[in-house]
Amino acid sequence: MSDPRDNVQQEFLAEAQELVEALSRDLLLLDEAHQRGERVDSALVNEIFRSVHTLKGIAGMFGYKHVGTIAHALEDLLDDLRLGRTIVGDPLLDVLFDSVERFQRLLALEDPQAPEEKSGVDAYVAAVRSIGAQPATEDGDPLEQYAIGSAVLSVLTEYEEHRLRACIREGMKLYRLRATFDLAAIDDSIETLRDVIHDDAEIITYLPSLEGGNDESIELVVLLASHVPEAELKAYFEGRYGTIEVIEERAPLPTNPPNPTLIPPDTRSELPPSDDDWGQASLRSLANSVRVDIRKLDDLMNVVGELALVRGAVSRVVESFAADPKHRQSLQELDRVGRGFERQLSELRMRILDVRMVPLGQVFSKFARIVRQAAREHDKQVRLVVTGANTEMDKLIVEELADPLMHLVRNAIDHGIEPVDARMRLAKPAEGTLALNAYHKGSNVVIEVEDDGCGMNAHKLRETAVARGLLTAEAGHDLTRQDMLNLVFLPGFSTNTSVTDMSGRGVGMDVVKTNILRMGGVVSIASEHGIGTKITVTLPITLAIIRALIVTVGSRPFALPIAAVREAVPYSPKDVRSIQGRKVVTMRGETLPICDLARLFGLQPRGRQAGRFVIVCAMGTRELGFVVDELVGQEDVITKSLGKTLSSVRGFAGAADLGDQRLALVLDAPALFTEYFEGAGAQLGAETHA
Amino acid sequence: MTQVVQTDTLVPGSEHQLGTIPVLSVSAGNETYGFPLPAIREILMPPPLTPVPRAPEHFLGVISVRGQVITLVDLPKLLRLEVHERQTIGRVLLVDSGEELIGVAVDRVVQVSQLRPEQIEYASAMSAELSEYIVGVARVPSESSTDPEEMVILIDPGALLGGLK
């Protein structure tokens, strides 16, 4: 198979990509908190540090020198940040955000060591270093006022000590929580506790106490800092975790530990080095999930298919014994077992499909950065509101969705949301809102991209379409308001006259629509002039299974994804006319171009012409009728790609197993539309004419 | 002479440790073809074939093997060695081309023989213009009584996919 070194390289790139995405996500959170003037979340800074640290490590292993150099410089900066040697501010955030771009560009390079990149990297590292240490104001050591005990203080790491000071400075109270933990799961339990109390309290450190516990459990003394009133904290922890007491603010006797239950100095060496929680935490987060090539899941699915065949074979053997009364009891038993097997098999199938599901947040998180950047570039203020980021969809769809959604998001900022001054004049809030909403609806996922910008002027859209020659003035006259809005989906329609950095790069709404249709989805548009625009994308949860109309052409089965099908009507050859070499029929007063699939595919149509059907398909505002021999019915099918060998053959999205090893080719409706109406369309039409 | 490299191309892996290369020979049309045995995943009775309209002539269509969709090619047509109309398919070889499995339709499977490198006449050493899929030819002892030796056209599975794309 392929070069194992390539695989390792791919693994690295995938992991690095994930780290950079996580970094980008966390930086946005940091930025948001900073803009709102909130205190710096130390857990978040740690998370960022961890991403950069891991990235540095793996970049070193795989020879990505520049990535490693940048990560190293950032690591120092972040270490200063978490130790309170520098503060969060715009220069620091700018440098950090800049790193995301740089990492992504460097990871995309053919040559990870490219010498021409060196000067840019060096300049960036210099910029990082220049931020350097900006010490936070010192005002004496607050630790001395607390009866924490030197035994504890002496084992605190520099970081823990810093956090302790910072918490005291923020006016938090210190608490000592005494709780018993299961030895086997102690790390997880602490981590869970950390998460649970995250918003209300911070764990500074924890040490084993000498009391309590047994072979399987251990009592820990946890040093906590919190803003929450003592009574509330007590009510929460007592009973659930253990006892909690306030560490009083008073003159300490530093050399004499006031709390004898804290570990005495002579056993200190047995303590786990408290630095460890860094390493362990990052190891744990990696160990919880595995990265799997989606093709392996396809392979698993194939094995399930094979098992179903085996089950069928067993049934047939059982049937051959059915006539023999001697075996009756065993056969009943076998039948029962067989049905149990079948249930498990369908369960297995569901579980495998489930593994393919990933949260849409994976793609949404990419937009957060884009929105921030785009808003800055355009001097617009945009707030991104995401709901339903944990809505799950098939990994393949989520991947495919990134580009169309990106286009919609860019459109909303570029053309939708107005500049601040314009919004003020309209008495709108200065900050525009861009909402990304995702939710389940039956077996579909709905994704909405909504902005409170200027909306679309339907009549202006119609004028533009007529001006571009996409529509005759008469045809335009009859359009409903919704029809006018839908004009933006026409190929060659683009309202922006200037090409900006943001959108208008030649990928129009028609491409968005085509891509979404290809995934078996639909896209619709709602807009009020002056109020805002909402684009709604509805997609099946999984690509693996689509609903298809099975038809035959030349006695061979073909599958047509139901998403594209409007209706099926009987074909009457006598109603067919020719317009400019293309065959058309008239349906309800409208002219419908038709394409005979038998002719297109060079097959012999079966039976009488009159018994055939026209399948009316719609794509955007265009309709096309495919002439087929027979309708077989609707079926849920699993589409499999035709592989690299046949990728150059146009018109098929893949093949679907109809059972008994018989395959039906799945028609690629968008490709057939493109072929018919553009480029090769002329030949296609002529062929139909011939 | 870069014989070592070429042996590797013919047989991925370390099967040639003993200096011989196991080759599966099959007959298709009027010729005998040889594939490096490690590249053969399976030999199947032909499953139902679904022809793909508009595909080049050397593609017979697609087949379903345990739920996997596999392209079936006609070897003599691909190699442009002869013009014949295939009536029936005797067996299907599933060949690992390095990236995806390719089905190769043949009339029958002949035998597995151990080839020594010196039995192989490499295409690079021959003057004749040959298809890029052919590594060379080898003469192997034949089952037939009339001709003690048989010429086997050796196919490079790795080149198959590249050429078919």
Side-chain angles (χ1 to χ4, degrees):
Chain A
M1 297 306 269
S2 52
D3 185 351
R5 269 182 51 208
D6 274 0
N7 281 337
V8 175
Q9 178 93 348
Q10 284 308 319
E11 279 278 298
F12 160 71
L13 285 175
E15 183 169 358
Q17 207 59 48
E18 265 175 36
L19 287 167
V20 173
E21 276 164 24
L23 174 65
S24 158
R25 227 173 15 242
D26 292 339
L27 285 178
L28 277 151
L29 291 176
L30 189 67
D31 181 55
E32 267 173 37
H34 175 63
Q35 306 303 344
R36 283 199 298 263
E38 289 171 10
R39 77 182 179 98
V40 175
D41 178 354
S42 58
L44 184 60
V45 174
N46 283 346
E47 203 55 56
I48 296 172
F49 181 90
R50 232 170 261 155
S51 300
V52 171
H53 178 74
T54 312
L55 185 61
K56 185 186 86 168
I58 60 175
M61 274 189 280
F62 290 91
Y64 280 71
K65 205 176 97 202
H66 299 317
V67 173
T69 309
I70 292 184
H72 183 72
L74 286 177
E75 202 185 20
D76 289 348
L77 180 65
L78 288 164
D79 203 32
D80 283 346
L81 182 62
R82 73 190 190 97
L83 291 175
R85 294 196 211 113
T86 189
I87 47 162
V88 175
D90 279 332
L92 180 112
L93 285 170
D94 284 348
V95 157
L96 290 176
F97 274 113
D98 194 13
S99 75
V100 174
E101 303 294 303
R102 282 176 191 274
F103 282 140
Q104 274 169 347
R105 214 171 54 81
L106 290 170
L107 288 172
L109 288 181
E110 259 320 82
D111 173 11
Q113 311 238 29
E116 64 271 19
E117 294 293 328
K118 193 176 178 306
S119 58
V121 169
D122 288 347
Y124 177 71
V125 167
V128 174
R129 301 266 184 240
S130 75
I131 297 213
Q134 296 168 350
T137 45
E138 289 287 341
D139 46 2
D141 194 348
L143 289 188
E144 287 166 11
Q145 297 148 25
Y146 284 86
I148 295 169
S150 63
V152 181
L153 288 180
S154 61
V155 296
L156 289 184
T157 61
E158 187 187 358
Y159 173 68
E160 288 166 347
E161 206 175 311
H162 154 68
R163 287 311 309 160
L164 185 57
R165 286 204 174 87
C167 288
I168 295 171
R169 237 180 248 119
E170 283 173 32
M172 290 184 169
K173 278 200 156 177
L174 298 186
Y175 297 89
R176 191 180 288 120
L177 169 71
R178 210 180 289 272
T180 306
F181 291 89
D182 185 354
L183 262 183
I186 185 159
D187 287 334
D188 285 342
S189 310
I190 294 281
E191 218 38 57
T192 311
L193 178 62
R194 228 186 259 281
D195 286 347
V196 167
I197 64 172
H198 174 256
D199 289 330
D200 300 321
E202 181 170 338
I203 295 180
I204 305 289
T205 188
Y206 53 91
L207 303 168
S209 93
L210 292 184
E211 300 171 350
N214 51 36
D215 285 352
E216 275 120 40
S217 65
I218 184 170
E219 190 185 80
L220 291 186
V221 175
V222 183
L223 188 56
L224 289 175
S226 177
H227 283 295
V228 179
E230 187 186 342
E232 239 175 81
L233 220 50
K234 269 214 163 93
Y236 181 78
F237 281 109
E238 306 249 307
R240 196 168 318 192
Y241 283 99
T243 57
I244 190 160
E245 55 181 349
V246 188
I247 300 179
E248 296 296 341
E249 202 175 335
R250 62 182 159 90
L253 294 168
T255 48
N256 182 17
N259 186 344
T261 59
L262 279 183
I263 198 152
D266 54 323
T267 50
R268 224 183 295 146
S269 56
E270 289 170 23
L271 288 179
S274 25
D275 242 5
D276 255 5
D277 62 342
W278 281 78
Q280 282 172 7
S282 59
L283 278 180
R284 259 200 307 279
S285 63
L286 287 178
N288 270 341
S289 60
V290 285
R291 204 173 289 117
V292 178
D293 188 326
I294 198 148
R295 279 171 297 189
K296 287 191 182 166
L297 296 180
D298 288 342
D299 291 346
L300 272 183
M301 205 48 139
N302 291 341
V303 175
V304 173
E306 184 81 342
L307 278 176
L309 292 180
V310 173
R311 155 75 181 139
V314 171
S315 294
R316 279 192 294 280
V317 176
V318 170
E319 271 162 30
S320 67
F321 283 105
D324 195 338
K326 213 166 55 196
H327 297 298
R328 208 164 126 213
Q329 197 153 9
S330 318
L331 283 175
Q332 273 174 355
E333 179 70 359
L334 201 54
D335 191 44
R336 197 181 55 77
V337 172
R339 265 177 286 152
F341 181 80
E342 221 153 69
R343 262 197 312 279
Q344 296 299 327
L345 206 56
S346 67
E347 176 76 21
L348 182 60
R349 197 192 300 262
M350 294 308 293
R351 293 283 170 96
I352 295 173
L353 280 178
D354 192 47
V355 174
R356 300 168 62 100
M357 301 293 160
V358 295
L360 269 168
Q362 278 193 3
V363 54
F364 285 178
S365 65
K366 289 183 187 157
F367 297 142
R369 195 167 45 79
I370 299 286
V371 168
R372 182 187 192 272
Q373 217 177 33
R376 276 193 162 203
E377 277 167 22
H378 281 61
D379 243 359
K380 292 178 179 178
Q381 288 188 18
V382 184
R383 187 167 61 105
L384 178 67
V385 181
V386 173
T387 59
N390 52 8
T391 308
E392 293 198 323
M393 286 188 91
D394 192 294
K395 171 79 176 164
L396 285 179
I397 299 190
V398 172
E399 292 286 309
E400 293 287 315
L401 255 180
D403 284 344
L405 280 185
M406 182 76 78
H407 191 77
L408 297 178
V409 165
R410 282 178 162 162
N411 266 345
I413 298 175
D414 204 17
H415 309 306
I417 292 170
E418 311 90 336
V420 175
D421 50 345
R423 291 183 67 90
M424 299 302 265
R425 277 200 301 280
L426 292 164
K428 284 184 172 183
E431 192 179 48
T433 301
L434 176 63
L436 278 176
N437 308 320
Y439 53 90
H440 282 289
K441 193 176 174 187
S443 62
N444 289 312
V445 166
V446 180
I447 301 164
E448 298 167 349
V449 181
E450 192 174 2
D451 67 70
D452 65 347
C454 60
M456 295 181 185
N457 183 337
H459 291 92
K460 205 163 172 187
L461 293 178
R462 178 174 60 187
E463 280 166 31
T464 313
V466 173
R468 303 257 154 105
L470 301 168
L471 192 70
T472 59
E474 306 84 70
H477 189 71
D478 295 334
L479 294 184
T480 62
R481 196 174 157 322
Q482 188 60 48
D483 288 340
M484 293 183 214
L485 292 179
N486 286 340
L487 290 172
V488 299
F489 293 123
L490 286 182
F493 186 99
S494 177
T495 44
N496 59 315
T497 40
S498 67
V499 174
T500 69
D501 202 25
M502 297 290 301
S503 48
R505 280 190 239 194
V507 247
M509 290 292 282
D510 61 316
V511 177
V512 171
K513 177 139 192 169
T514 309
N515 286 344
I516 285 168
L517 272 169
R518 205 184 292 277
M519 291 182 257
V522 288
V523 54
S524 67
I525 190 166
S527 186
E528 285 298 327
H529 189 47
I531 294 175
T533 302
K534 176 157 93 176
I535 312 266
T536 306
V537 175
T538 308
L539 283 159
I541 288 174
T542 173
L543 272 190
I545 298 179
I546 57 161
R547 190 131 191 96
L549 180 66
I550 311 289
V551 300
T552 64
V553 179
S555 35
R556 293 186 194 157
F558 289 89
L560 196 48
I562 213 90
V565 176
R566 278 278 169 86
E567 59 181 322
V569 294
Y571 172 66
S572 58
K574 63 180 180 355
D575 295 339
V576 176
R577 291 173 295 128
S578 269
I579 296 181
Q580 294 167 349
R582 287 186 181 178
K583 291 199 171 179
V584 299
V585 292
T586 306
M587 259 185 69
R588 292 189 284 270
E590 304 256 333
T591 301
L592 175 78
I594 57 169
C595 167
D596 189 334
L597 289 180
R599 287 195 189 232
L600 179 61
F601 294 155
L603 302 171
Q604 276 303 314
R606 191 183 172 194
R608 298 170 304 120
Q609 286 286 327
R612 305 173 78 206
F613 287 90
V614 179
I615 314 290
V616 184
C617 292
M619 201 120 304
T621 50
R622 281 175 166 155
E623 289 195 337
L624 176 60
F626 293 113
V627 183
V628 303
D629 293 353
E630 291 172 308
L631 303 182
V632 180
Q634 287 188 25
E635 223 171 289
D636 287 325
V637 296
I638 299 180
T639 308
K640 306 245 169 79
S641 105
L642 288 184
K644 293 205 167 115
T645 45
L646 290 169
S647 54
S648 60
V649 181
R650 288 174 47 159
F652 305 105
D657 209 321
L658 297 180
D660 335 323
Q661 288 187 301
R662 293 200 60 85
L663 292 172
L665 293 170
V666 180
L667 299 176
D668 183 351
L672 289 172
F673 265 66
T674 310
E675 187 177 334
Y676 186 88
F677 289 107
E678 292 153 33
Q683 297 157 24
L684 218 163
E687 206 179 319
T688 320
H689 180 59
Chain B
M1 186 73 201
T2 55
Q3 229 174 52
V4 178
V5 175
Q6 297 217 351
T7 313
D8 269 359
T9 329
L10 188 60
V11 185
S14 55
E15 256 67 31
H16 56 280
Q17 274 165 352
L18 300 173
T20 62
I21 305 157
V23 167
L24 177 80
S25 46
V26 295
S27 77
N30 303 323
E31 304 286 348
T32 303
Y33 301 91
F35 288 86
L37 192 61
I40 305 295
R41 280 302 161 81
E42 220 169 320
I43 300 167
L44 303 168
M45 292 299 289
L49 175 70
T50 304
V52 178
R54 317 159 99 191
E57 208 191 7
H58 54 256
F59 288 111
L60 292 166
V62 287
I63 54 173
S64 169
V65 180
R66 278 183 295 283
Q68 215 179 334
V69 175
I70 288 172
T71 305
L72 194 61
V73 299
D74 184 309
L75 209 48
K77 279 217 179 97
L78 178 65
L79 302 176
R80 295 178 294 275
L81 281 185
E82 51 190 298
V83 185
H84 76 131
E85 276 320 306
R86 176 174 293 282
Q87 297 303 317
T88 55
I89 300 171
R91 292 285 185 280
V92 168
L93 308 185
L94 290 192
V95 182
D96 189 344
S97 68
E99 252 183 287
E100 65 181 47
L101 289 181
I102 293 175
V104 176
V106 302
D107 295 337
R108 66 190 184 94
V109 172
V110 181
Q111 61 177 339
V112 174
S113 37
Q114 298 288 336
L115 289 189
R116 290 181 311 279
E118 61 267 25
Q119 281 178 284
I120 302 173
E121 195 181 343
Y122 286 97
S124 53
M126 288 189 282
S127 53
E129 200 176 298
L130 286 170
S131 157
E132 64 267 36
Y133 316 116
I134 299 177
V135 177
V137 292
R139 294 191 177 279
V140 298
S142 161
E143 324 165 292
S144 100
S145 49
T146 50
D147 195 354
E149 274 198 334
E150 189 171 34
M151 198 176 76
V152 176
I153 301 170
L154 299 172
I155 304 294
D156 177 3
L160 273 184
L161 182 73
L164 288 171
K165 269 193 246 187

